[in-house]
C-alpha cells in the first residue's frame, strides 16, 4: 500500500506524459481503432434493427408501446450485468459479446428518436403523397423517412456518444478499446498517464464522431437551415 501511495504522489507518475505517448503510440492507436470499430459496428447494426422497428411502430400504433417498452427494458439493464449474461453464451474472449451488448443499448435511443421524427412528418405532406398515388412503401421512402431524417440523425448522435462510453466496459474481457488503457493503468499501480490518455482519447473520439454526424445531418437536411420566409 505504501509503495502504491508513493507512486501516486511521486513526480514520476504525472497525469500526462509525452514520453508515455511516444513509447506506446502503436498500442494507443490500436486501442483507438478497436474502439472506433466497435462503436461503428454497434451503431450500424442497431440502426438496421431500430429504424424498421420504428417504422413498424409508426404504421401499427398498438405496437408502439411494446416496442418502446422492450427497448427501454434492455436499456435499463446494468452494463456489467448484461455483459456477464451474454459472454458465457457467445464466448468470454469473443468481441461479439461486447458488440451484442452495445447494440442492445443503442436500440432505444435510435428507435425513440426515429419514431419521433416519423410522427413529426406534416399531415399535409402525407396527404399530398397519398393524393399523388403513393402507396405505403412509396410514401415511406419518398416522404416519411426523408422528412424524419433530423430525428433519426439525433438518435444516431445520442447512440454513438453513448456507445463510445459503453465500449470501455468491454475492457473486462479484453475488448474495451481505449478502456483497455484505462483498466491497465489502474492495474499498473494507478499509472496516471495511461489512465488519462485513454480517458481523454475516449472523450475526443465521442466529440469527433458527434461532430461528423451533426455535419452529415446538416448536409442531408438543408431545409432545416432555412430561415422564415
Amino acid at each position: 500500500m505504501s509503495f502504491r501511495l508513493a507512486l501516486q504522489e511521486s513526480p514520476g507518475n504525472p497525469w500526462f506524459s509525452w514520453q508515455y505517448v511516444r513509447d506506446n503510440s502503436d498500442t494507443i492507436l490500436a486501442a483507438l481503432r478497436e474502439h472506433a470499430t466497435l462503436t461503428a459496428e454497434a451503431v450500424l447494426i442497431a440502426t438496421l434493427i431500430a429504424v424498421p422497428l420504428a417504422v413498424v411502430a409508426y404504421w401499427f400504433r398498438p405496437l408502439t408501446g411494446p416496442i418502446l417498452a422492450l427497448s427501454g427494458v434492455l436499456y435499463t439493464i446494468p452494463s456489467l450485468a448484461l455483459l456477464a449474461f451474454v459472454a458465457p453464451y457467445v464466448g468470454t474472449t469473443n468481441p461479439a459479446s461486447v458488440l451484442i451488448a452495445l447494440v442492445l443499448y443503442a436500440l432505444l435511443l435510435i428507435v425513440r428518436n426515429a419514431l419521433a421524427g416519423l410522427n413529426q412528418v406534416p399531415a399535409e405532406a402525407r396527404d399530398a403523397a397519398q393524393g399523388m398515388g403513393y402507396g405505403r412503401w412509396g410514401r415511406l421512402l419518398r416522404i416519411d423517412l426523408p422528412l424524419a431524417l433530423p430525428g433519426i440523425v439525433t438518435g444516431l448522435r445520442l447512440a454513438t456518444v453513448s456507445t463510445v462510453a459503453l465500449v470501455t466496459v468491454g475492457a473486462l474481457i479484453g475488448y474495451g478499446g481505449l478502456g483497455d488503457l484505462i483498466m491497465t493503468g489502474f492495474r499498473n499501480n494507478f499509472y496516471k498517464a495511461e489512465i488519462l490518455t485513454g480517458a481523454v482519447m475516449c472523450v475526443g473520439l465521442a466529440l469527433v464522431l458527434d461532430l461528423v454526424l451533426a455535419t452529415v445531418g446538416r448536409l442531408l437536411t438543408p431545409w432545416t437551415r432555412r430561415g422564415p420566409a
Side-chain angles (χ1 to χ4, degrees):
M1 179 64 70
S2 60
F3 171 77
R4 181 175 298 179
L5 290 174
L7 180 58
Q8 293 175 14
E9 297 172 357
S10 68
N13 186 27
W15 275 110
F16 183 75
S17 169
W18 279 116
Q19 184 66 39
Y20 166 77
V21 174
R22 286 194 299 268
D23 293 346
N24 298 274
S25 58
D26 291 341
T27 301
I28 294 172
L29 290 176
L32 178 62
R33 283 194 298 269
E34 181 180 71
H35 206 114
T37 299
L38 282 171
T39 299
E41 291 176 348
V43 173
L44 176 60
I45 295 172
T47 301
L48 294 176
I49 298 173
V51 172
L53 284 176
V55 171
V56 170
Y58 175 63
W59 280 350
F60 307 100
R61 296 298 178 176
L63 295 179
T64 300
I67 289 174
L68 291 178
L70 177 60
S71 56
V73 168
L74 293 173
Y75 190 78
T76 59
I77 299 175
S79 55
L80 292 179
L82 184 58
L83 186 59
F85 176 79
V86 172
Y89 295 98
V90 181
T92 55
T93 59
N94 191 337
S97 300
V98 179
L99 189 60
I100 291 172
L102 295 175
V103 169
L104 294 178
Y105 279 120
L107 283 178
L108 175 64
L109 297 174
I110 301 176
V111 169
R112 185 170 58 190
N113 285 279
L115 181 58
L118 289 168
N119 287 330
Q120 290 172 3
V121 174
E124 54 268 24
R126 294 196 296 267
D127 293 339
Q130 187 174 1
M132 294 174 63
Y134 286 124
R136 172 174 283 184
W137 285 100
R139 191 180 70 188
L140 174 69
L141 297 176
R142 293 177 178 269
I143 305 296
D144 292 341
L145 285 179
L147 292 180
L149 271 177
I152 295 174
V153 171
T154 298
L156 289 176
R157 292 176 63 186
L158 292 172
T160 299
V161 172
S162 175
T163 300
V164 169
L166 288 170
V167 168
T168 57
V169 179
L172 294 174
I173 63 172
Y175 291 98
L178 296 168
D180 291 337
L181 298 181
I182 299 173
M183 182 70 73
T184 304
F186 278 107
R187 290 172 177 168
N188 290 339
N189 293 318
F190 200 74
Y191 189 11
K192 295 178 182 179
E194 189 168 19
I195 295 170
L196 186 64
T197 299
V200 169
M201 293 194 68
C202 187
V203 173
L205 177 63
L207 291 175
V208 168
L209 293 179
D210 184 60
L211 179 61
V212 169
L213 288 174
T215 302
V216 171
R218 287 175 62 84
L219 293 175
L220 292 178
T221 57
W223 63 88
T224 62
R225 304 195 299 273
R226 296 173 184 169

